[in-house]
Amino acid sequence: MTTSPVSQNSAADSPVRLQAVSGEGQPQVTPALEELYRGFEQELLVPLWTEIGDLMPAHPRSRAVPHVWRWERLRELAAQAGDLVPVGRGGERRAIALANPSLGGRPFATPTLWAAIQYLMPGEDAPEHRHTQHAFRFVVEGSGVWTVVGGDPVPMNRGDFLPQAGWNWHAHHNATSEPMAWIDGLDIPFQYVTEAQFFEFGRDEISDAERTTPERSRAERLWGHPGLRPLSAAPVTPGSPLLSYKWEYTAAALADQLLLEKEGFGGTVEPGHAAVRYSNPHDGSDVLPTLRAEFHRVVRGAETAPVRETGSSVYQVFDGSGVVTVGDRSWTVTRGDLFVVPSWEPFSARSEAGTTDSDEGGLDLFRFSDAPVFEALKLNRTQKDA
């Protein structure tokens, strides 16, 4: 005797729920169609014709929304956490993540990017660990903390950008009598959704040798000479071998671009807008496989053209003030403020920097994005709006 296979699911137990609706391009609603949909539900099937508008929209519709976080308030709350929350094993880091208001309370700035303020009290150590998530630190104010990457103590000072590819041992120590805050950027949401992450605890304490406070790390002494690649370089590993991109070089590059523009030789991406990308000195690629980092300076009175891009970005105001517009939202921003630009939302910035709020006479913006992922997958697209 032959029997038909019996489904393991009943329509009532299925997470799939289908509703027959009338509309252009949709089948006529009949009892037979309803019966078909119950069969789909029972077998965990979803027909494309009921989902195409959501799965294949005419342009990206990000789940994230534009939002701004004020540095003054972030730092105030981080200081309170410094008094209440230990930095050792357990929480592992005193890092407080930005949670985009439309992502259900998850600690994600965008669907692919993590951004957080990290706070270290005087004399504290953040214990050693490593993870597959690619990461960086950017310092908007202060000095006195050393991050120790693979045993190499790296100083952290205002304006410094410190990338660190995944699966490298790292710890932090504050060698001063003052607390220090900075921002962390990681690809945690991307690795979370792709289920690719690994994490491992390291030593609880770093050695006395790693507690030294050199002005230049070993990585900088080897790789920090413009245009010069050491012949002793080890085989290529993911991410930049240079562990600190110092502010003095970033500032000089931006100033020279604007001087060249003033002299009539170009050099800027648009009038009054200088910009640089942090790059891997080994081959000129992005500093991290999944994260791109840039620095922009917009001179007082200049305004950038609105630009849309696939993929998302997080910006931090390093210096100056101005008005930023993301989609239909606009905010006045000042030093330290962070804001999010979701995928395909138009972004522009107008500088209102003056002598009282700017060291360099412009609106200075640090930016990081998920652009390398989109470029690797050939999904990158850029559009300048009129």
Side-chain angles (χ1 to χ4, degrees):
M1 179 177 180
T2 303
T3 60
S4 300
V6 178
S7 172
Q8 296 180 355
N9 304 295
S10 69
D13 296 333
S14 173
V16 175
R17 290 288 182 269
L18 302 173
Q19 183 177 3
V21 295
S22 300
E24 184 178 354
Q26 294 296 314
Q28 183 179 358
V29 179
T30 64
L33 184 68
E34 295 283 4
E35 182 180 358
L36 175 64
Y37 281 7
R38 300 297 81 74
F40 285 164
E41 291 174 353
Q42 184 175 353
E43 299 301 330
L44 303 178
L45 301 171
V46 180
L48 177 60
W49 62 83
T50 66
E51 299 290 329
I52 191 168
D54 183 52
L55 296 178
M56 296 182 176
H59 57 78
R61 298 188 307 205
S62 179
R63 290 183 294 116
V65 295
H67 191 73
V68 65
W69 290 263
R70 302 297 182 183
W71 180 251
E72 183 177 354
R73 183 61 173 150
L74 291 179
R75 207 180 190 293
E76 176 185 326
L77 291 169
Q80 292 179 29
D83 293 331
L84 300 172
V85 181
V87 77
R89 295 298 186 209
E92 198 67 11
R93 294 288 189 268
R94 194 182 293 111
I96 307 159
L98 310 184
N100 192 285
S102 71
L103 297 181
R106 300 295 296 164
F108 301 158
T110 79
T112 55
L113 300 175
W114 162 287
I117 178 174
Q118 187 169 162
Y119 196 82
L120 204 61
M121 296 290 282
E124 276 190 330
D125 291 346
E128 187 181 61
H129 65 208
R130 65 177 177 175
H131 41 71
T132 51
Q133 292 86 353
H134 302 295
F136 70 81
R137 286 159 282 285
F138 179 74
V139 186
V140 74
E141 63 184 26
S143 62
V145 167
W146 269 254
T147 183
V148 182
V149 182
D152 188 4
V154 186
M156 296 172 57
N157 298 295
R158 173 166 159 77
D160 291 352
F161 168 72
L162 300 98
Q164 176 208 293
W167 215 237
N168 281 286
W169 294 111
H170 58 284
H172 313 307
H173 71 98
N174 188 339
T176 71
S177 59
E178 297 293 330
M180 184 172 167
W182 63 89
I183 68 164
D184 291 336
L186 294 93
D187 61 357
I188 290 175
F190 173 72
Q191 292 204 29
Y192 180 84
V193 74
T194 55
E195 301 178 344
Q197 66 271 45
F198 291 85
F199 178 92
E200 187 175 346
F201 291 115
R203 298 165 298 169
D204 291 334
E205 296 182 1
I206 57 176
S207 67
D208 290 340
E210 293 165 311
R211 288 182 170 280
T212 57
T213 54
E215 291 186 8
R216 294 192 303 154
S217 66
R218 297 194 298 273
E220 183 183 356
R221 289 160 62 190
L222 187 62
W223 285 97
H225 305 284
L228 300 173
R229 180 178 179 273
L231 294 182
S232 62
V236 178
T237 56
S240 175
L242 182 59
L243 300 177
S244 176
Y245 293 68
K246 289 192 171 180
W247 169 242
E248 60 185 288
Y249 304 120
T250 306
L254 296 166
D256 279 345
Q257 286 186 18
L258 291 167
L259 283 173
L260 285 168
E261 178 191 82
K262 188 175 181 180
E263 295 165 4
F265 297 107
T268 55
V269 293
E270 57 187 335
H273 178 191
V276 294
R277 180 183 299 170
Y278 299 95
S279 63
N280 185 332
H282 193 100
D283 57 10
S285 62
D286 282 294
V287 288
L288 295 167
T290 56
L291 298 173
R292 174 167 295 167
E294 300 171 349
F295 203 102
H296 296 251
R297 175 171 295 163
V298 184
V299 301
R300 179 174 175 81
E303 185 168 2
T304 67
V307 175
R308 299 174 187 262
E309 295 176 306
T310 50
S312 53
S313 298
V314 177
Y315 285 79
Q316 183 170 40
V317 180
F318 179 71
D319 203 18
S321 62
V323 176
V324 297
T325 300
V326 185
D328 59 0
R329 303 288 305 277
S330 292
W331 306 282
T332 297
V333 291
T334 58
R335 179 183 288 191
D337 292 346
L338 294 114
F339 59 92
V340 164
V341 180
S343 183
W344 212 242
E345 290 282 2
F347 166 71
S348 63
R350 183 177 77 249
S351 175
E352 297 178 349
T355 56
T356 59
D357 64 8
S358 172
D359 297 330
E360 307 291 342
L363 173 62
D364 281 0
L365 298 170
F366 170 78
R367 176 199 186 194
F368 74 99
S369 72
D370 50 19
V373 176
F374 284 77
E375 290 182 359
L377 297 175
K378 309 302 181 188
L379 295 174
N380 55 305
R381 184 178 295 194
T382 301
Q383 173 182 302
K384 281 196 173 183
D385 290 358

